[in-house]
Amino acid sequence: MEVMPEDLPHPSKDEIRIEAVLHALADPVRLTIVRELASCVDGATCGTFELPISKSTRTHHVRALREAGVVNVRPEGTSRIVTLRRDDLDSLYPGLLNGVLAARQ
Amino acid sequence: MEVMPEDLPHPSKDEIRIEAVLHALADPVRLTIVRELASCVDGATCGTFELPISKSTRTHHVRALREAGVVNVRPEGTSRIVTLRRDDLDSLYPGLLNGVLAARQ
DNA sequence: CTCGTACTACGATGGCCCTCGTACTTAGCG
DNA sequence: CGCTAAGTACGAGGGCCATCGTAGTACGAG
């Protein structure tokens, strides 16, 4: 589909599985990350997430979201730009992301 | 809201938490149950689910779905009638259920 | 080159939970 | 009452994973 210069492995759109997505979203930390990403269209650096967790745990969660197909991660210097794969998720599971984000915190 | 004679504890609509719902849906067995429930409007007996699991495991999963607020369980003789709480879920997380059910198997 | 920043890799730990078998309860039937 | 069917309770085992600290890599600034 789209060709993007990356070195981090991402599942293609047709490799995304609903169970993996749901499992990725079921964690409170990852859900917070997804909410933050949804509120800033340009994507965010890993370090900008305000979370009471260690760096390695943050890496772990961003990796989990990436491998589930929920986010895209792009190197940018020493940082990683993280963006929601909103188009893919919306076309695979229309309404799912909206429903999740509609939840009262 | 609605008064229903039950002896099994269910979370009220405002007690349902998105993380619990997502976690409940993230299991392949429970997702199968939800899919079967979505296809039969009248609800189903626990025993009618065709699953390669033991009785106690089935009980465990139905309980998990009930405690997360995904399904309603009503005694009926020696059986339990299980129904999707579609109205509650749709109003709390509009689109979520549709998105999940839209996933290719 | 040196230093600091941003992140990753790896192993350890602890907890959650999926699965099961066994024993038990309850309802219905004769 | 005796029997069967449907489901629950409980405990055990085993695996997955969230969390962390430490060590290491990669990039940019000076």
Side-chain angles (χ1 to χ4, degrees), chain A residues 3-79:
Chain A
V3 178
M4 220 183 284
E6 302 167 357
D7 56 348
L8 295 162
H10 291 73
S12 64
K13 179 181 164 183
D14 64 325
E15 286 171 339
I16 296 179
R17 292 176 310 122
I18 183 63
E19 297 165 14
V21 172
L22 290 171
H23 179 257
L25 296 177
D27 183 273
V29 172
R30 291 193 289 261
L31 200 51
T32 303
I33 294 177
V34 168
R35 274 198 250 261
E36 288 196 32
L37 289 176
S39 65
C40 61
V41 278
D42 301 6
T45 313
C46 285
T48 60
F49 301 127
E50 297 206 355
L51 295 164
I53 56 173
S54 69
K55 279 198 304 179
S56 34
T57 303
R58 175 165 42 78
T59 297
H60 164 75
H61 284 304
V62 172
R63 177 195 184 100
L65 287 169
R66 170 176 55 82
E67 291 180 346
V70 177
V71 302
N72 192 286
V73 184
R74 181 177 77 250
E76 184 101 349
T78 63
S79 299

Side-chain angles (χ1 to χ4, degrees), chain B residues 2-94:
Chain B
E2 74 244 82
V3 178
M4 220 181 285
E6 300 166 357
D7 57 348
L8 295 162
H10 291 73
S12 63
K13 181 181 164 184
D14 64 325
E15 285 171 340
I16 296 178
R17 292 176 311 121
I18 182 63
E19 298 164 14
V21 172
L22 290 171
H23 178 256
L25 296 177
D27 181 273
V29 172
R30 290 193 289 260
L31 200 51
T32 303
I33 293 177
V34 169
R35 273 199 252 261
E36 288 196 32
L37 289 176
S39 66
C40 60
V41 277
D42 302 5
T45 312
C46 286
T48 60
F49 301 128
E50 296 206 357
L51 295 164
I53 56 174
S54 69
K55 278 198 305 178
S56 34
T57 302
R58 174 165 41 80
T59 296
H60 164 76
H61 285 303
V62 172
R63 177 195 184 100
L65 288 169
R66 171 176 56 82
E67 290 180 345
V70 178
V71 302
N72 192 286
V73 185
R74 182 177 76 251
E76 183 102 348
T78 64
S79 299
R80 304 284 184 271
I81 307 295
V82 185
T83 51
L84 252 188
R85 294 179 64 172
R86 196 188 284 265
D87 291 345
D88 286 339
L89 294 175
D90 282 348
S91 89
L92 285 171
Y93 320 115

